[in-house]
Amino acid sequence: MMKTIPFVAVAAALLSAPCLAQNPGPERLAEVEIRAERVGDGLHVLYGFGGNIAVSLGEQGGLIVDSQFPELVPKIRAAIRELGGDEINFGINTHWHYDHADGNQRFGPEGVWFISQTDSRERMSVDKFIDPLTRPAFDQPAYPPAALPIVTFDNRMQLHFNGERIDLLHFGPAHTAGDAAVFFRGHNAVHMGDIFTPGGYPYVDSNSGGDLDGMIAFCRAVLAELDEDAIVIPGHGAISTYADLVRFTEMLQSVRDRIAELIAAGASLEQIIAAEPTAAWDDIYGGDKVRFIDRAYSTLSR
């Protein structure tokens, strides 16, 4: 059952965007509203502009996974109040990219304590750049101290909050070098950030330690933690299933093997793109296959 908070078309268009939603600027963000979808009692997903936000609400307070943009924080808080929540006590960043973490810059000074994988905090604390390939590379400036995670973990961490165990797991480089999968064990659900993008081919940020083989290994490790009835929350796009994640992982492996075969035969990037190694999956994932092939090539040819 879905509880909907009205939102405009500009936000709806981004629900299936695979990753790195472009910062639209304050004027366009002013038009965005928030939609909420129920996962289970006390657990919802908020869609707006940027990465999907998971929200845990209960007797102990509120916890969010990812934070979108500072301009949207008042609307995110209002949406949480509509769901019966009040204060947000903790936040978890699945990774450091701005469309998942820029909201830290408002939530943090307002008292939310953030948690991330160690590498993600390190990248948030210094000036970085992102090269999405589909548009010019751009800077992501260092966050102020109040916006940085105050707790980090290397591979595994547990929280006990609102009556369930929440596991934060890192299985090595994937979308970036510092991704976290967030398991809500009481709801049989996981938020995977941009490791899993059911609406399109993923972006492997090889400039930030991302790795295609690592993404495949990460997906398999997450599947091993789940049962077939699990709910999978992607970084962007609709709430998905275990079977959706299985299919996504099969796609990654299939494309990886084809590109590796072409590299071994001496093919250039241009020749690999022309060979269409994603052809068997384009009807399902569409999107920017050239960027996916480019980033896959960059990691497999290191």
Side-chain angles (χ1 to χ4, degrees):
M1 180 177 179
M2 182 183 297
K3 179 179 177 64
T4 299
I5 299 164
F7 77 124
V8 293
V10 64
L14 286 153
L15 297 185
S16 61
C19 53
L20 282 174
Q22 185 170 359
N23 191 330
E27 291 184 2
R28 196 172 179 197
L29 282 174
E31 301 175 354
V32 175
E33 297 184 21
I34 305 297
R35 180 168 69 92
E37 185 171 354
R38 181 180 180 274
V39 175
D41 291 345
L43 184 63
H44 295 78
V45 175
L46 299 183
Y47 304 97
F49 201 115
N52 295 338
I53 298 176
V55 182
S56 169
L57 300 173
E59 292 184 358
Q60 290 179 288
L63 176 148
I64 58 173
V65 179
D66 288 342
S67 62
Q68 294 192 6
F69 295 96
E71 296 89 340
L72 295 180
V73 168
K75 296 180 180 182
I76 293 166
R77 287 189 176 277
I80 290 171
R81 287 193 294 272
E82 286 281 331
L83 296 170
D86 187 12
E87 291 301 312
I88 302 168
N89 307 95
F90 298 101
I92 299 167
N93 293 124
T94 61
H95 61 292
W96 66 277
H97 284 161
Y98 68 101
D99 57 329
H100 293 256
D102 261 14
N104 289 26
Q105 297 181 80
R106 183 152 181 177
F107 278 120
E110 291 177 353
V112 178
W113 290 2
F114 279 92
I115 303 165
S116 78
Q117 202 277 339
T118 304
D119 184 85
S120 280
R121 187 192 191 278
E122 291 174 355
R123 292 177 189 272
M124 290 181 208
S125 66
V126 296
D127 293 339
K128 302 297 293 182
F129 80 96
I130 299 174
D131 183 6
L133 298 182
T134 54
R135 58 188 189 275
F138 56 91
D139 295 328
Q140 179 169 321
Y143 288 170
L148 293 172
I150 66 165
V151 177
T152 61
F153 70 99
D154 290 337
N155 298 312
R156 182 179 290 265
M157 179 178 176
Q158 285 186 356
L159 302 175
H160 297 270
F161 191 71
N162 285 337
E164 72 177 320
R165 193 180 91 207
I166 302 172
D167 289 339
L168 284 64
L169 301 181
H170 171 73
F171 299 108
H175 172 59
T176 70
D179 301 296
V182 183
F183 294 81
F184 294 90
R185 297 299 189 180
H187 288 88
N188 197 21
V190 60
H191 191 314
M192 292 188 65
D194 282 354
I195 299 164
F196 172 52
T197 55
Y201 291 118
Y203 170 54
V204 182
D205 189 358
S206 56
N207 293 316
S208 299
D211 182 80
L212 178 56
D213 283 336
M215 184 174 281
I216 295 167
F218 204 117
C219 288
R220 287 178 173 161
V222 168
L223 287 167
E225 293 278 337
L226 301 174
D227 63 42
E228 294 184 359
D229 296 322
I231 297 165
V232 184
I233 303 167
H236 301 260
I239 293 174
S240 302
T241 66
Y242 179 96
D244 293 327
L245 181 56
V246 169
R247 181 174 64 180
F248 182 81
T249 307
E250 290 172 348
M251 176 276 293
L252 293 177
Q253 186 68 59
S254 172
V255 175
R256 181 255 180 233
D257 290 347
R258 178 58 179 148
I259 293 175
E261 178 184 342
L262 291 165
I263 290 172
S268 66
L269 173 59
E270 292 74 18
Q271 290 170 326
I272 292 173
I273 292 171
E276 299 186 338
T278 64
W281 301 93
D282 287 347
D283 288 345
I284 299 172
Y285 295 101
D288 194 338
K289 61 184 179 182
V290 172
R291 179 174 72 174
F292 177 43
I293 295 168
D294 182 292
R295 294 298 84 186
Y297 174 85
S298 74
T299 66
L300 294 173
S301 60
R302 285 172 175 165

